[in-house]
Amino acid sequence: MLKERNVFSFKRLWTFTGPGFLMSIAYLDPGNIESDLQSGAIANYRLLWLLLLATLMGLFLQRLAARLGVVSGRHLAEVCYDEYPTPARIILWIMVEVAIIGSDMQEVIGTAIAINLLSFGYIPLWAGVLITILDTFTFLFLDKYGLRKLEFFFGLLITIMAVTFGYEYIVVKPDQVSLLRGLFVPSCPGCGWPELEQAVGILGAVVMPHNFYLHSALVKSRDIDRNNPSLVCS
């Protein structure tokens, strides 16, 4: 019976990919895209290697957060509460709150700019901010119908974004040599303070601490036998 449960199954994989879909949105949010657009406009392809490294670092940290939730049955905030003294917990709480505020500012402003551009300037930025706030409550309302439905909806959005970005890549036809050099050669010739600011923005937009707390909590939605090492230590 144990061997049967260890056999790879696409059905089982699909069952556990829901939290991954929700977390991948964090790497495709308006603030992240806005940061990438700004860095591309200012530094061209010269910071692509930093974006790649930041994404790989974020992937590694998200994997650790997911494993923490699966193996321990506790999310990161609960572990910090149990393991750290009160002063450290307060400092962590303040740091995460500041990170969330900074991230939300990027996302709200990025969405407002996107709405303004898509409407050809007809919808002003302040109205875009209000629409973004309404969107937030809309997604919270969708959670009422079950987490799996919300995961499916986000998976659909990710698929649409992947197709549109792929189509855009084909249409634009960027210089492949410059793109590959910027992606795999860690250098930034001729860079100054503007490029440095964009580099900091890339790191801040990709590696967001509150995502680790969220990911470690989302994986708890899957009911598994945590006393069975074959299910939690793979």
Side-chain angles (χ1 to χ4, degrees):
M1 181 65 180
L2 184 59
K3 291 183 178 180
E4 292 180 358
R5 299 186 72 176
N6 284 332
V7 174
F8 176 79
S9 169
F10 280 104
K11 181 179 180 181
R12 185 181 177 192
L13 176 64
W14 175 254
T15 302
F16 287 90
T17 51
F21 283 131
L22 291 179
M23 289 312 307
S24 61
I25 286 292
Y27 293 84
L28 292 171
D29 59 17
N32 210 321
I33 295 175
E34 179 196 11
S35 175
D36 295 339
L37 290 173
Q38 290 284 351
S39 63
I42 294 176
N44 296 323
Y45 301 112
R46 290 174 292 177
L47 292 178
L48 282 178
W49 62 272
L50 180 62
L51 177 61
L52 176 62
L53 289 179
T55 303
L56 293 176
M57 181 169 59
L59 175 63
F60 174 72
L61 294 174
Q62 294 292 163
R63 183 179 177 87
L64 291 179
R67 285 186 169 186
L68 174 68
V70 171
V71 175
S72 68
R74 298 180 296 169
H75 55 68
L76 183 56
E78 292 174 328
V79 174
C80 291
Y81 182 84
D82 294 336
E83 300 296 333
Y84 291 127
T86 300
R89 295 201 301 264
I90 294 176
I91 293 174
L92 285 174
W93 169 62
I94 294 175
M95 290 175 60
V96 172
E97 289 291 345
V98 172
I100 292 174
I101 293 172
S103 175
D104 286 345
M105 288 176 60
Q106 285 185 336
E107 293 170 4
V108 171
I109 295 174
T111 304
I113 293 175
I115 294 174
N116 179 265
L117 293 175
L118 291 174
S119 64
F120 298 99
Y122 182 77
I123 300 178
L125 292 179
W126 64 266
V129 171
L130 294 179
I131 294 174
T132 306
I133 295 173
L134 180 62
D135 287 343
T136 302
F137 285 101
T138 301
F139 287 122
L140 291 175
F141 178 76
L142 289 176
D143 186 44
K144 177 182 178 181
Y145 293 97
L147 185 61
R148 298 303 298 273
K149 293 182 177 62
L150 187 63
E151 292 170 353
F152 176 80
F153 179 69
F154 275 101
L156 178 62
L157 294 180
I158 293 170
T159 302
I160 294 174
M161 292 184 68
V163 172
T164 53
F165 278 128
Y167 176 76
E168 182 183 15
Y169 184 87
I170 295 174
V171 172
V172 174
K173 297 179 181 178
D175 182 10
Q176 300 300 312
V177 176
S178 299
L179 188 148
L180 292 175
R181 183 185 298 114
L183 191 61
F184 295 109
V185 179
S187 63
C188 191
C191 290
W193 281 108
E195 289 79 10
L196 178 60
E197 291 175 350
Q198 296 306 314
V200 174
I202 290 175
L203 289 175
V206 174
V207 184
M208 295 181 286
H210 57 278
N211 284 337
F212 309 142
Y213 291 87
L214 178 60
H215 201 176
S216 61
L218 286 175
V219 295
K220 293 174 59 180
S221 63
R222 299 305 188 262
D223 186 19
I224 62 173
D225 182 10
R226 292 183 172 84
N227 295 320
N228 189 339
S230 65
L231 297 180
V232 298
C233 297
S234 58

